[in-house]
Amino acid sequence: MLTIHAAPLVLPVGAAPVPEGAVLVDGDRIAAIGPYEELAAAHPQARVRRWPGVLTPGLRQWHGTWLLKRCYHPDPREAGELGELPLSGAALESLELDAARLAGSVRRGLQRMLRHGTTALAVMDDPLLRTAVARVGLTVVSPVGGPGGMLLGGPDLDPFVEGYDLPGSVHTPLAVGARADLAVFDVPDEAALVAAGAASCVATVLDGRLVYRAR
């Protein structure tokens, strides 16, 4: 099925922004990028999803292994005891994690990454992580070339916290024929996105599938 993802501003990265733009997705691939009115007129049979803010390529998370293996992502049922934020360091060491709890934490960590517009993830060759990431469908990238240092307190689920701009935070630009990995943020422009961070994400499209939508 053809799907048009439309937003007030499309930021392809590597090409000019498209005000009142859209991305046409055919299956798992980008079929066209351009003004919404033109794509809608050319493909009247396509399903239309209208989003607020800016539509960009999916983001890349360099610290996947750390965030998934050296953090515990509490189950919502544990919020009263453990809170809702990822636990690391001494707080993590105080937990007794069996294989089932660790696997659940990894799944929840991946879902939280999707809520931050992440579609590509750098992970080490760890069987648990590779299996979980493959099941979700994120693109696995090599950690080689990523930031060498760690932020004070450890990495963040928000790729923008590393201090990169949008081109430095995406995995690949939006391009016709490329895999349909998109992120939508409820901000007016690129500068506001970098300032607000990836927590402003309202939708993530992974391999053409809508995998996260803010309620």
Side-chain angles (χ1 to χ4, degrees):
M1 172 182 282
L2 293 174
T3 301
I4 294 174
H5 293 274
L9 182 62
V10 173
L11 299 173
V13 177
V18 186
E20 298 302 328
V23 176
L24 176 68
V25 173
D26 185 0
D28 63 350
R29 297 287 149 178
I30 295 175
I33 303 169
Y36 166 73
E37 295 295 340
E38 292 183 9
L39 294 187
H43 304 279
Q45 78 281 18
R47 172 177 57 187
V48 176
R49 295 190 185 276
R50 290 184 174 274
W51 304 109
V54 301
L55 188 155
T56 76
L59 305 183
R60 176 187 56 231
Q61 173 56 254
W62 283 115
H63 300 296
T65 301
W66 198 99
L67 287 165
L68 296 175
K69 291 298 289 287
R70 296 183 61 184
C71 286
Y72 179 71
H73 299 269
D75 187 291
R77 294 169 294 185
E78 301 173 307
E81 175 188 359
L82 301 178
E84 299 179 355
L85 299 177
L87 302 176
S88 60
L92 175 63
E93 293 173 3
S94 68
L95 300 176
E96 296 181 2
L97 298 181
D98 56 19
R101 286 189 78 187
L102 179 58
S105 172
V106 169
R107 289 193 299 271
R108 291 187 294 273
L110 290 171
Q111 289 301 315
R112 287 172 175 169
M113 290 179 187
L114 293 176
R115 294 202 296 267
H116 286 76
T118 297
T119 59
L121 187 64
V123 294
M124 303 297 289
D125 192 13
D126 179 288
L128 172 63
L129 297 188
R130 291 283 179 157
T131 299
V133 171
R135 186 174 291 118
V136 173
L138 285 91
T139 296
V140 175
V141 299
S142 171
V144 176
M150 288 284 190
L151 296 170
L152 183 63
D156 196 281
L157 287 165
D158 182 349
F160 288 111
V161 171
E162 294 284 351
Y164 293 105
D165 56 9
L166 179 62
S169 300
V170 303
H171 176 46
T172 56
L174 300 181
V176 174
R179 189 171 117 146
D181 288 347
L182 320 173
V184 185
F185 303 91
D186 192 8
V187 294
D189 53 34
E190 184 174 345
L193 169 57
V194 175
S200 61
C201 181
V202 294
T204 303
V205 175
L206 183 65
D207 204 20
R209 298 172 291 118
L210 181 62
V211 293
Y212 168 67
R213 180 174 189 169
R215 295 179 180 178

